[in-house]
């Protein structure tokens, strides 16, 4: 309970006036930043003859939503990704898709273009880029040239 002043009105508590530490999600620009970043990224993917076949859905919209939700959650925003899909388990979720160094490099190329379009402060850009590099390298699961013509999708 908040203490009261002599006139009966409440004093604000110390926690009410303490500055809130911003999450990376907030520092990047919140929801709008991630919507724009991921939308720009998928413009590149849609036109990429190597990456596009790795996305089995005709419409890239659902993949765009999943990536946006994942990024938002990872960077301290809403936990919608886990609420809707469970634990991210990135390597497990990407396991059915043959991802080689070429696919990784193309993914990074399109993500770099999308990130460049954001004109972030250099420190924020570096923070995001270091994460993207690490994540992209972790998804490689086959050597160059081992990728089949069609992704190895699990049968339902």
């Amino acid at each position: 309970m908040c203490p009261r002043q002599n006139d009966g009105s409440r004093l604000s508590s110390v926690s009410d006036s303490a500055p809130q530490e911003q999450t990376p999600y907030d520092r990047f620009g919140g929801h709008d930043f991630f919507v724009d970043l991921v939308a720009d990224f998928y413009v590149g993917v849609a036109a990429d003859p190597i990456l596009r076949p790795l996305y089995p859905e005709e419409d890239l919209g659902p993949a765009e939503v999943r990536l946006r939700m994942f990024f938002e959650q990872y960077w301290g925003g809403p936990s919608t990704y886990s609420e809707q899909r469970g634990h991210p388990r990135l390597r497990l979720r990407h396991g059915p898709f043959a991802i080689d160094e070429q696919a990784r490099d193309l993914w990074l190329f399109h993500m770099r273009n999308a990130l460049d379009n954001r004109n972030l402060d250099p420190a924020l850009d570096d923070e995001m880029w270091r994460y993207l590099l690490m994540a992209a390298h972790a998804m490689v699961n086959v050597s160059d040239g081992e990728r089949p013509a069609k992704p190895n999708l699990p049968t339902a």
Side-chain angles (χ1 to χ4, degrees), residues 122-133:
L124 285 173
D125 186 276
D126 183 61
E127 183 178 4
M128 175 67 75
W129 186 242
R130 282 184 287 118
Y131 167 75
L132 295 169
L133 285 169

Side-chain angles (χ1 to χ4, degrees), residues 1 32 48 65 73 91-92 96 103 107 112 123 129 148:
M1 186 165 135
D32 291 342
D48 191 295
V65 169
Q73 179 173 306
R91 286 197 46 92
L92 181 65
W107 189 94
R112 181 71 255 174
W129 186 242

Side-chain angles (χ1 to χ4, degrees), residues 82-127:
S82 287
E83 291 165 8
Q84 291 184 9
R85 301 185 48 79
H87 189 281
R89 302 180 326 229
L90 291 180
R91 286 197 46 92
L92 181 65
R93 290 186 192 271
H94 289 81
F97 306 97
I99 302 169
D100 61 12
E101 291 86 358
Q102 181 185 28
R104 175 203 60 211
D105 292 347
L106 289 167
W107 189 94
L108 285 167
F109 172 79
H110 295 298
M111 194 54 79
R112 181 71 255 174
N113 286 338
L115 193 55
D116 287 346
N117 288 339
R118 308 284 66 80
N119 297 311
L120 285 173
D121 172 87
L124 285 173
D125 186 276
D126 183 61
E127 183 178 4

